[in-house]
Amino acid sequence: MNIRFDLPDELSASAPPEARGVARDEVRLLVASPSGVHHTVFSSLGSHLLPGDLLVVNTSGTLPAAVDAGRGGRPVVVHFSTSLDDGSWVVELRAPGGPLLDGREGEHLELPGGASLTLLGPAAPGSSRLWRAAVSAEGPVPGFLAAVGRPIRYGYVPRAWPLSDYQTVFAREPGSAEMPSAARPFSASLVTRLVTDGVLFAPLVLHTGVSSPEAGEPPQAERFRVPATTAALVSWVRSRGGRVIAVGTTAARALESAADGAAEGWTDLVLGPDRPARVVDGIITGLHAPEASHLLLLAAVAGHDLVQRAYDAAVERRYLWHEFGDVSLLLRR
């Protein structure tokens, strides 16, 4: 039971909106709720919220997680996905056409500046795409990435953009392999207007791993933290009939992983038909590719039929997809 639509290549946003002469908060916004589908711009978000609604935002910052490497004399790219508790990392080996699936346990790759990594084993049983790797570098890996890495980008973004284009206004704690992009259209002035209008904000952290859009796989386990103050505010808003709106699928995953109160650690929760949303009443999110598991999450929050209507309208109105594209607000009430 997934959302079905065809995505023409020309609807993939290939550059930040600013490069197209559009301010961050002036990208298009599709609003879908039981009352219908509406089309506006993101700076008008407040017109579709109520005083007392709570926006929960992910404060994870984007890492420059793509690094050039040498593999037996051949160039490859390593995507650093996730820092594990034992100091190793989950990594993905990439070529221009997509992920490389022929990694070998014990394989050694050269990294810039005399650093290296060794593949220790598949990140999950049977996985040939993601590997646990020991990294040998001078100093902590995030500092190494800051020195030699660049933001991860996929084939629909043909040229490189600086790391600042991959950060949201809420980013405080670097740790995501890919930008929690739903919050990208927020500007400081828009946040100020929303707060002035009585909309509430609360933070959490979920560090995203690599999504690798070609893979069509379910999400990997990700590290998250829902603070006690955020959990308490969620409970208070719900008790007063307000709406809890996750800014992004990352925030929704973290909130639903902490449905009973504050929590932190690793989550492998996958929202879908077998696990509908219990806490989240709506979601602000970018537009996702046809095979993305995120679509099941959206349906778990807003209902399959509403999400299908939203995506049909987005294709018809030629919204732009992916992290530099347009945004939707999906409300189940």
Side-chain angles (χ1 to χ4, degrees):
M1 187 188 71
N2 210 340
I3 309 303
R4 299 187 181 281
F5 60 96
D6 294 322
L7 179 62
D9 289 344
E10 63 268 24
L11 296 189
S12 293
S14 59
E18 302 93 304
R20 297 183 266 116
V22 178
R24 279 192 178 223
D25 58 9
E26 290 296 319
V27 297
R28 299 171 73 189
L29 173 67
L30 183 152
V31 182
S33 71
S35 67
V37 176
H38 307 277
H39 304 278
T40 183
V41 293
F42 195 75
S43 59
S44 298
L45 174 65
S47 299
H48 301 275
L49 301 176
L50 300 170
D53 282 344
L54 173 64
L55 299 184
V56 183
V57 300
N58 185 2
T59 59
S60 177
T62 310
L63 296 169
V67 176
D68 291 324
R71 187 188 191 196
R74 290 175 292 123
V76 297
V77 175
V78 176
H79 286 179
F80 284 73
S81 175
T82 306
S83 171
L84 300 176
D85 293 336
D86 65 359
S88 64
W89 280 71
V90 175
V91 301
E92 179 186 39
L93 308 186
R94 303 274 307 187
L100 297 169
L101 306 178
D102 60 347
R104 304 181 309 278
E105 186 171 328
E107 185 175 359
H108 186 79
L109 286 86
E110 301 84 28
L111 300 175
S116 64
L117 68 79
T118 302
L119 302 184
L120 301 175
S127 173
S128 58
R129 183 174 67 90
L130 297 176
W131 288 80
R132 286 187 302 107
V135 182
S136 175
E138 185 174 345
V141 172
F144 168 73
L145 295 178
V148 305
R150 59 184 180 275
I152 288 174
R153 62 186 170 96
Y154 295 107
Y156 53 83
V157 179
R159 58 154 286 189
W161 299 95
L163 184 62
S164 58
D165 282 332
Y166 289 85
Q167 301 292 12
T168 76
V169 70
F170 304 110
R172 292 293 183 273
E173 185 176 328
S176 283
E178 297 179 12
M179 174 174 56
S181 57
R184 191 184 190 282
F186 281 91
S187 62
S189 60
L190 175 58
V191 172
T192 300
R193 292 203 302 274
L194 292 171
V195 170
T196 303
D197 290 343
V199 175
L200 307 173
F201 283 81
L204 55 72
V205 175
L206 183 141
H207 294 312
T208 71
V210 294
S211 62
S212 302
E214 316 90 341
E217 299 173 353
Q220 307 295 316
E222 293 170 312
R223 193 190 301 272
F224 80 106
R225 183 174 68 251
V226 177
T229 50
T230 293
L233 191 52
V234 166
S235 179
W236 182 78
V237 166
R238 288 180 61 80
S239 72
R240 297 176 62 87
R243 297 179 296 187
V244 176
I245 299 170
V247 179
T249 56
T250 59
R253 192 184 199 194
L255 276 174
E256 294 293 336
S257 299
D260 298 322
E264 65 179 305
W266 293 88
T267 178
D268 57 4
L269 177 65
V270 178
L271 293 176
D274 297 329
R275 171 53 168 95
R278 299 172 183 167
V279 176
V280 177
D281 301 297
I283 185 168
I284 295 171
T285 180
L287 292 160
H288 303 283
E291 301 303 324
S293 63
H294 296 84
L295 295 171
L296 287 175
L297 184 152
L298 302 187
V301 170
H304 175 276
D305 291 348
L306 187 144
V307 178
Q308 184 69 66
R309 287 199 300 275
Y311 273 73
D312 289 345
V315 172
E316 180 183 356
R317 295 292 189 107
R318 303 187 68 76
Y319 277 68
L320 294 179
W321 257 248
H322 302 304
E323 67 269 32
F324 292 142
D326 298 313
V327 185
S328 63
L329 168 62
L330 307 176
L331 296 168
R332 67 181 180 189
R333 66 180 176 95

